[in-house]
Amino acid sequence: MMYVKPLPVVDADKPVSRQVIADSPDLMVVAFRFHEVGAEGALHNHPHVQSTFVASGRFRFTIDGEEFEVSPGDSFVIPSQAKHGCVCLEPGMLIDNFTPRRDDFL
């Protein structure tokens, strides 16, 4: 069994890229890189529970209509089916964990 495998960086929505950095049927870890101020993670929802860790940069998030700003070291959980999205205030990287895995990212 190979525990580390290279996975490609893909354009999520320019200027945002994503890379699956680890996955199993029960869990997926994804790095999202926001390359420009104003880049957006469009409002959406999904059945997965998501946790987000801010590795770098600053972001304004909306979860079910509530807005808040986050910066490096912050983390939070997004419940299943909650409508959420973000706007990049300072270029950086978010590390998202999904349970179960998001098969649409493979």
Side-chain angles (χ1 to χ4, degrees), residues 10 26 30 32-33 52 74 90-91 97 100:
V10 298
D26 298 321
V30 182
F32 285 90
R33 290 173 180 84
T52 296
D74 291 339
E90 178 182 303
N97 298 277

Side-chain angles (χ1 to χ4, degrees), residues 6-96:
L7 296 163
V9 174
V10 298
D11 285 334
D13 283 315
K14 289 185 180 183
V16 180
S17 61
R18 80 168 179 254
Q19 182 178 27
V20 174
I21 54 179
D23 77 285
S24 76
D26 298 321
L27 176 68
M28 175 177 272
V29 183
V30 182
F32 285 90
R33 290 173 180 84
F34 289 73
H35 303 284
E36 295 177 8
V37 171
E40 293 188 39
L43 283 173
H44 66 286
N45 67 341
H46 45 70
H48 314 85
V49 174
Q50 173 181 334
S51 70
T52 296
F53 172 76
V54 183
S56 61
R58 286 189 320 107
F59 300 86
R60 182 171 46 263
F61 268 83
T62 302
I63 300 177
D64 282 342
E66 181 182 339
E67 286 191 358
F68 57 97
E69 290 188 16
V70 293
S71 56
D74 291 339
S75 61
F76 53 94
V77 171
I78 301 170
S80 173
Q81 298 301 347
K83 193 167 190 174
H84 62 283
C86 70
V87 175
C88 178
L89 303 176
E90 178 182 303
M93 182 170 55
L94 301 173
I95 305 295
D96 289 349

